[in-house]
Amino acid sequence: MRGMKPYLAIFSARFRMMMQYRAAAIAGLWTQIFFGLVMIMTYESFYGSTKQTQPISFAQIVSYVWLGQALLALLPWNVDSEVRAMVRSGAVAYELCRPVDLYSLWFMRAMAWRTAPTILRAVPMTLLAMFALPLLGLGEWRLRPPSAAGGLGFAGAMVCALLLSCAIGTLMNISLMWTVSGDGVVILLTALVSLLSGMIIPLPLFPDWAQPLLRALPFAGLVDLPYRVYLGNIAPSGLPSVLLRQLLWTGALVLVGRWLLARGMRKIVVQGG
Amino acid sequence: MPPQIVVEDLVKTYQIAMRAPGLWGSVRGLVHRKCRELRALDGIGFSIDAGELVGYIGPNGAGKSTTVKALSGILVPDSGRCEVRGRVPWRQRVEHVAEIGVVFGQRTQLWWDLPVIESFELLRDIYRVSPARYRSASDELIALLDLAPLLDVPVRQLSLGQRMRCDLAAALIHEPPVLFLDEPTIGLDAVSKLAVRDFVRQLSRGRGVTVILTTHDMDDIEALCDRVIVIASGRVLCDGSLDDLRSRVSRERWLTVDLAGDEEVSDPQATIVRREGSRLCLSFDPLEISPAELIARITARHAVRDLFVENPPIETIVARLYETTEAARFHAEETETACAE
């Protein structure tokens, strides 16, 4: 465990710093509740207007939406502001002066950057969606608890989703070594990630021709696959293949990230005198 | 004992994309980009023994920071040899950086939102310093740099001088035998500068840490360094003691005279550097005229209240050295090439 010490120290420092942003999380919570309700109302009218059987039931869609709102911050949709500031100011020089594996260091940063805000939002969001909505007479629109098998499988799949998200996020941070500001990459990736992961529209509702593509890309592992495990839309017997897909993608993206970082370090020109 | 730092014939060229001005220029830049090559290092070489405190000076853009970055393993040079304690910095980065401390004066390595002590503890974990060693090292640094009142303050609330003291301590938590200081006194007030200087002196004399110090403040150099390396346009101009540097540029001495009256003074073998009221500063070459002779001649002709002979300030020497290379700087090999995108 001694080898892990520097990485755990960075994780814990960054995590504690991120946990200070409670006010932002609370403010975001209200926006997300509003957003979740609008999405549910849209799906309700959509389901009411068709007689065809959909690949996913309305009750499942509702839970899917709330899970998405609760776990929104886990999506790799932005670059780490601290890394961006470091690259811009040239303080990244200090980061390169540490006797640690830089990729692992940045991966741990990404992990803290994703988990802290997720915890701040997920807990109150789940409580509200699961228990407060029925009290308001909106029981149809509530987040339903999972089966025991679904819940356990979901926990495992979410751990893998976190790793996958960190691998994508670290890749985005590494791209800052070329673009400096990272705005272009962020705009492109935000759009791609939120659409292709299922955060905007659950993936089962995409047309049939798009399904092979969605299955081939890594993004379903962030949202769609774990949520469908929770809902039971993917049976417990399908869990191993979900985990395998997530982990294979994570491994591949880690390799790409390491390769890019090694190249970036050879060409890096630290800004300023 | 082999030298701690060996640099031989180090070369680094930066590609600088040039953007033509105006809208049309930026459109054209999309398809056809002009690149300028800038030789930041053009065959730098020196070697430094354990425990030396070396001043590394040169005008802006001379390649000082580039050298420090190459020595710290951050930057990979194009060619040449560079070894610190027997290791090539960028090839054995992790082992190398565990044995060096670095301070970039214009940036901080402390965590902006954390109290100072937490930054130290983080660095302890990152450098895998044992609790016992950390305690003795941090106690000593806190005492030497007078950091006790600052430890609980978040870094963003520190003044520049306080922050620099904390940054110095942060660079030394892991007790590195080699320390690179890149402009550690930049922007500091007089008191903070003295504190930084005293500390660096103690570190070098007391603990035998090898220090490379880049600075624009010649007082830093005079106060601290036995040896100075002057570089310009990526080349070493001069490498030796301060006296060597002086004698290379000129033999000139200055005689400052406080006159009783305010009459004109002139001497065929001395030139007036400046005059402020009754105080007069004359420059002369001690090989042409001995100081005693000049003083005798002046006191014979004028009523003198006080006088003293000194070396011209090191600033003047260095400025002169830079001027002589300024011309060369404009002719530096900045070739324009069209680079394929």
Side-chain angles (χ1 to χ4, degrees):
Chain A
M1 272 322 267
R2 212 168 124 65
M4 281 298 286
K5 201 173 181 190
Y7 309 104
L8 293 176
I10 281 286
F11 174 82
S12 113
R14 189 92 184 100
F15 187 84
R16 277 177 293 141
M17 256 184 278
M18 294 296 299
M19 288 299 263
Q20 293 172 358
Y21 299 108
R22 274 175 291 243
I26 299 298
L29 202 62
W30 297 115
T31 325
Q32 282 179 254
I33 288 173
F34 176 75
F35 212 75
L37 288 174
V38 169
M39 280 166 88
I40 288 169
M41 284 186 256
T42 313
Y43 286 119
E44 190 171 46
S45 60
F46 166 70
Y47 272 77
S49 69
T50 177
K51 296 223 160 33
Q52 274 183 340
T53 343
Q54 296 300 323
I56 181 167
S57 74
F58 175 65
Q60 286 179 327
I61 282 284
V62 171
S63 292
Y64 196 117
V65 166
W66 287 127
L67 285 176
Q69 295 307 311
L71 298 168
L72 185 67
L74 207 70
L75 219 57
W77 60 277
N78 58 1
V79 292
D80 188 332
S81 57
E82 204 176 69
V83 174
R84 185 209 300 240
M86 278 195 309
V87 171
R88 280 197 87 91
S89 73
V92 68
Y94 281 122
E95 199 88 343
L96 300 171
C97 285
R98 305 293 179 221
V100 291
D101 176 55
L102 196 61
Y103 184 87
S104 308
L105 191 70
W106 282 19
F107 194 89
M108 282 315 237
R109 269 175 179 291
M111 195 170 302
W113 171 250
R114 294 269 84 98
T115 47
T118 302
I119 289 171
L120 283 177
R121 280 160 200 237
V123 175
M125 195 72 197
T126 309
L127 292 177
L128 281 170
M130 208 177 264
F131 304 112
L133 287 181
L135 294 179
L136 295 170
L138 295 170
E140 280 298 293
W141 290 0
R142 75 176 198 275
L143 171 65
R144 288 169 176 78
S147 68
L152 271 175
F154 173 70
M158 278 319 293
V159 171
C160 296
L162 170 66
L163 296 177
L164 181 58
S165 169
C166 293
I168 298 174
T170 308
L171 209 54
M172 285 163 75
N173 289 338
I174 292 169
S175 79
L176 289 173
M177 287 180 141
W178 280 267
T179 62
V180 182
S181 86
D183 293 329
V185 177
V186 170
I187 291 169
L188 200 72
L189 240 109
T190 308
L192 273 180
V193 165
S194 35
L195 187 69
L196 299 175
S197 64
M199 189 54 84
I200 294 178
I201 303 166
L203 296 190
L205 296 181
F206 274 70
D208 288 339
W209 59 261
Q211 294 299 334
L213 179 74
L214 294 171
R215 265 200 296 276
L217 289 171
F219 306 108
L222 295 169
V223 171
D224 186 72
L225 296 177
Y227 292 9
R228 278 162 59 205
V229 169
Y230 177 103
L231 302 171
N233 189 279
I234 293 177
S237 62
L239 183 64
S241 88
V242 167
L243 299 182
L244 192 68
R245 267 176 72 183
Q246 289 174 310
L247 289 176
L248 281 179
W249 266 115
T250 305
L253 291 170
V254 167
L255 288 180
V256 173
R258 283 190 168 279
W259 177 76
L260 266 182
L261 187 62
R263 285 200 46 168
M265 279 172 66
R266 283 199 71 87
K267 62 135 269 191
I268 194 165
V269 179
V270 174
Q271 311 280 316
Chain B
M1 200 165 150
Q4 285 232 309
I5 301 174
V6 184
V7 176
E8 266 171 31
D9 218 15
L10 209 59
V11 174
K12 174 74 190 180
T13 311
Y14 293 119
Q15 296 273 343
I16 300 172
M18 297 206 302
R19 224 162 277 168
L23 182 62
W24 173 233
S26 24
V27 174
R28 218 170 30 172
L30 292 176
V31 277
H32 179 79
R33 200 184 282 180
K34 269 200 169 168
C35 274
R36 195 163 56 109
E37 268 194 358
L38 184 70
R39 272 219 161 174
L41 298 181
D42 192 10
I44 291 270
F46 51 81
S47 105
I48 294 173
D49 289 324
E52 273 195 279
L53 201 173
V54 178
Y56 196 67
I57 60 175
N60 288 321
K64 298 187 298 294
S65 291
T66 307
T67 315
V68 172
K69 283 170 193 161
L71 286 171
S72 6
I74 295 170
L75 188 125
V76 186
D78 301 338
S79 67
R81 181 170 156 232
C82 173
E83 271 173 31
V84 179
R85 294 168 65 80
R87 293 198 185 92
V88 179
W90 56 92
R91 237 171 256 147
Q92 292 145 283
R93 190 185 67 85
V94 171
E95 296 85 352
H96 167 71
V97 294
E99 290 193 344
I100 62 163
V102 190
V103 173
F104 298 105
Q106 314 205 35
R107 304 168 179 129
T108 182
Q109 57 185 315
L110 305 163
W111 279 260
W112 204 240
D113 295 313
L114 293 180
V116 173
I117 188 73
E118 287 197 33
S119 280
F120 291 173
E121 287 166 0
L122 251 168
L123 288 167
R124 172 198 65 198
D125 292 345
I126 289 175
Y127 283 92
R128 301 177 164 103
V129 180
S130 72
R133 296 213 68 159
Y134 169 73
R135 212 165 308 123
S136 74
S138 63
D139 284 352
E140 195 186 346
L141 290 166
I142 289 167
L144 274 176
L145 287 159
D146 192 19
L147 301 181
L150 307 178
L151 293 177
D152 297 321
V153 182
V155 174
R156 64 183 125 83
Q157 287 172 16
L158 296 178
S159 75
L160 189 58
Q162 294 170 332
R163 205 209 74 201
M164 184 47 65
R165 272 151 55 207
C166 296
D167 254 311
L168 275 170
L172 293 160
I173 293 279
H174 58 295
E175 302 174 277
V178 177
L179 180 64
F180 301 130
L181 300 174
D182 194 2
E183 304 192 31
T185 54
I186 195 164
L188 299 191
D189 62 38
V191 178
S192 305
K193 269 186 190 173
L194 289 181
V196 168
R197 270 179 216 151
D198 282 345
F199 177 72
V200 173
R201 191 181 299 118
Q202 287 186 43
L203 209 60
S204 162
R205 310 270 144 89
R207 284 213 231 152
V209 174
T210 312
V211 183
I212 294 187
L213 166 73
T214 82
T215 182
H216 287 295
D217 189 333
M218 292 309 145
D219 292 340
D220 289 348
I221 300 285
E222 281 203 284
L224 292 173
C225 304
D226 312 316
R227 178 176 163 200
V228 195
I229 299 174
V230 187
I231 65 162
S233 310
R235 292 198 189 102
V236 175
L237 286 184
C238 177
D239 180 352
S241 68
L242 270 182
D243 289 338
D244 291 344
L245 174 61
R246 274 184 218 284
S247 61
R248 254 199 58 165
V249 177
S250 81
R251 294 187 299 265
E252 179 182 315
R253 295 281 166 76
W254 286 4
L255 171 65
T256 303
V257 189
D258 234 347
L259 295 169
D262 52 0
E263 68 268 26
E264 291 298 310
V265 175
S266 69
D267 191 283
Q269 281 168 303
T271 51
I272 295 175
V273 180
R274 64 169 181 269
R275 171 157 203 169
E276 290 149 9
S278 61
R279 176 165 280 208
L280 192 70
C281 181
L282 297 160
S283 132
F284 65 97
D285 180 344
L287 290 188
E288 272 179 44
I289 177 168
S290 80
E293 210 175 315
L294 183 68
I295 290 169
R297 224 154 56 195
I298 289 184
T299 46
R301 267 183 281 155
H302 307 279
V304 170
R305 270 205 302 239
D306 192 9
L307 58 76
F308 57 93
V309 178
E310 62 183 337
N311 283 318
I314 189 73
E315 251 108 0
T316 312
I317 300 284
V318 170
R320 230 170 263 172
L321 191 60
Y322 291 172
E323 273 164 26
T324 54
T325 55
E326 195 69 357
R329 199 171 130 80
F330 278 111
H331 296 293
E333 294 111 287
E334 294 182 5
T335 44
E336 277 185 24
T337 46
C339 64
E341 271 297 294

